Amino acid sequence: MAHLFEPLTLRGVTFPNRIGVSPMCQYSAEDGLANDWHLVHLGGRAVGGAGLIIAEAAAVAPEGRITPADLGLWNDEQIDPLARINAFIHSQGSVAGIQLAHAGRKAATALPWITQTGTLSEADGGWQPVAPSPLAFADGYATPAELDEAAITSLVRSFADAAQRALEAGFKTIEIHAAHGYLLHEFLSPISNQRTDRYGGSFDNRTRLLKEVVGAVRSVWPERLPLLTRVSATDWVADGWHAEETVLLARELKALGVDLLDCSSGGNLASAQIPVGPGYQTPFAEQVRRGSGLASAAVGLITDPAQADQIVRNGQADMVLLARELLRDPYWPMHAAQALGRATSWPVQYLRAAPHGSTVRQPLAD
């Protein structure tokens, strides 16, 4: 029976445990470039012992940013700052990953700690968002421009180009972002996709773009390295994207070379009523895992070590991803191991603080 601190191998990469840092936007980049904040933020979670560190959503095109301060991988200048961070993450024994994303109709918004909501004007640093259909996300958001097929083809290429840059930066896994109401999710959901061409209407058509992106990324991403995808398993409304479609999609993504589905939910409808509570999205990860045979990750209000351990032990997911809890406590994995009576390694620099019986982690060459 697997447990939280048992290694997980996907293709040629072994994660030292089943704890992952969920991608969390820091809104601290300039021109898409990572900086010292990202080094400390991501590096601190590697020091803390998480097996997988997924850097925040990196836009594959400038217009795909959520805010003007988003991370990016749309040009070669953005490679080296990320390579520096990855070298440190790998020296701590963790695996570095990055989420590739396009914000779609939710692009060009203000930083979240600024009170303004909705789309920024061009005078305030905004730009014209794009989407599958000209439907605004909510009041205050601009009506997006509908992507034509030429623009869609270019977008698919942008994901593949960003994946190539991720490889050059030393990432060992990629996550394609198709959740939370951003562009690829917008194509999946009939709420935001009202197209009548081959990218809209039927399940096959609405999933076409994501599958093309997966195929393009997999064509440049080495076979030895795993590929992840994040989805919103449901829109939480009757006429939206739903969990049964997610399972069908998981089967198709598995055949295309996706190795794990990161199961989140919501984000595509501002008025959706979401029953938030501890582990509220875990059933989706279990449904995907059992219904498709694809490995899954659970995310969403997972805070307690015993809770996380039981998700893995019960076969509900192969990995748990933590977000806010790892903001509050970067050393949660080491504290969880102690609480669960599991051995874990502490950095040699922290030896004097390690519990009795802990092993010591020597820095590794990348």
Side-chain angles (χ1 to χ4, degrees), residues 26-363:
Q26 299 297 291
Y27 307 110
S28 299
E30 185 174 345
D31 297 325
L33 294 165
N35 54 43
D36 286 350
W37 177 264
H38 301 92
L39 171 65
V40 174
H41 166 65
L42 297 169
R45 276 75 200 165
V47 170
L52 169 63
I53 314 289
I54 306 179
E56 65 193 80
V60 300
E63 64 273 16
R65 292 171 293 169
I66 305 167
T67 77
D70 283 21
L71 204 63
L73 260 179
W74 66 79
N75 68 44
D76 291 350
E77 293 178 6
Q78 293 156 346
I79 295 172
D80 284 349
L82 291 168
R84 173 192 178 214
I85 295 169
N86 291 341
F88 180 79
I89 290 172
H90 293 150
S91 79
Q92 298 303 304
S94 299
V95 175
I98 192 164
Q99 187 183 68
L100 301 183
H102 192 297
R105 65 180 183 169
K106 296 173 79 172
T109 61
L111 302 181
W113 46 82
I114 296 174
T115 56
Q116 178 180 351
T117 59
T119 308
L120 291 170
S121 68
E122 289 191 20
D124 290 329
W127 56 89
Q128 173 64 57
V130 297
S133 300
L135 303 169
F137 170 64
D139 291 343
Y141 284 78
T143 299
E146 180 173 313
L147 289 164
D148 60 23
E149 290 206 20
I152 290 173
T153 298
S154 177
L155 179 72
V156 172
R157 184 71 254 163
S158 294
F159 271 92
D161 290 344
Q164 182 63 49
R165 295 186 185 101
L167 181 64
E168 294 176 27
F171 287 101
K172 294 183 179 179
T173 189
I174 283 175
E175 178 174 88
I176 296 171
H177 196 1
H180 301 164
Y182 299 123
L183 186 67
L184 296 179
H185 181 190
E186 291 165 18
F187 270 86
L188 295 176
S189 173
I191 290 172
S192 44
N193 183 349
Q194 296 184 7
R195 302 174 72 98
T196 57
D197 64 1
R198 64 195 189 100
Y199 289 97
S202 67
F203 171 85
D204 287 342
N205 284 355
R206 286 183 284 112
T207 59
R208 187 184 305 278
L209 176 57
L210 174 55
K211 290 182 287 189
E212 288 181 350
V213 167
V214 167
V217 168
R218 190 79 261 185
S219 72
V220 301
W221 194 240
E223 284 295 314
R224 70 180 188 279
L225 300 179
L227 176 61
L228 285 54
T229 300
R230 169 168 275 190
V231 297
S232 282
T234 177
D235 284 331
W236 295 108
V237 292
D239 57 349
W241 179 262
H242 52 79
E244 290 74 17
E245 287 181 310
T246 297
V247 173
L248 294 176
L249 176 63
R251 293 172 186 166
E252 297 189 2
L253 295 181
K254 181 181 179 183
L256 290 171
V258 169
D259 301 290
L260 181 144
L261 201 67
D262 173 3
C263 299
S264 189
S265 71
N268 200 33
L269 187 66
S271 61
Q273 299 298 307
I274 302 177
V276 176
Y280 71 106
Q281 294 173 150
T282 299
F284 301 127
E286 181 176 15
Q287 194 170 351
V288 163
R289 191 173 188 270
R290 299 190 188 282
S292 70
L294 182 62
S296 70
V299 62
L301 289 183
I302 300 170
T303 59
D304 182 79
Q307 173 197 16
D309 192 41
Q310 284 302 307
I311 288 171
V312 176
R313 285 181 177 276
N314 292 339
Q316 294 177 284
D318 299 272
M319 178 173 277
V320 294
L321 302 182
L322 280 68
R324 291 176 177 85
E325 191 63 20
L326 279 169
L327 293 182
R328 290 184 282 263
D329 180 8
Y331 307 109
W332 188 94
M334 293 190 291
H335 295 149
Q338 186 176 3
L340 295 170
R342 293 285 175 180
T344 191
S345 60
W346 282 59
V348 65
Q349 296 90 339
Y350 290 0
L351 176 61
R352 63 177 61 89
H356 180 71
S358 298
T359 58
V360 175
R361 184 194 319 154
Q362 297 286 350

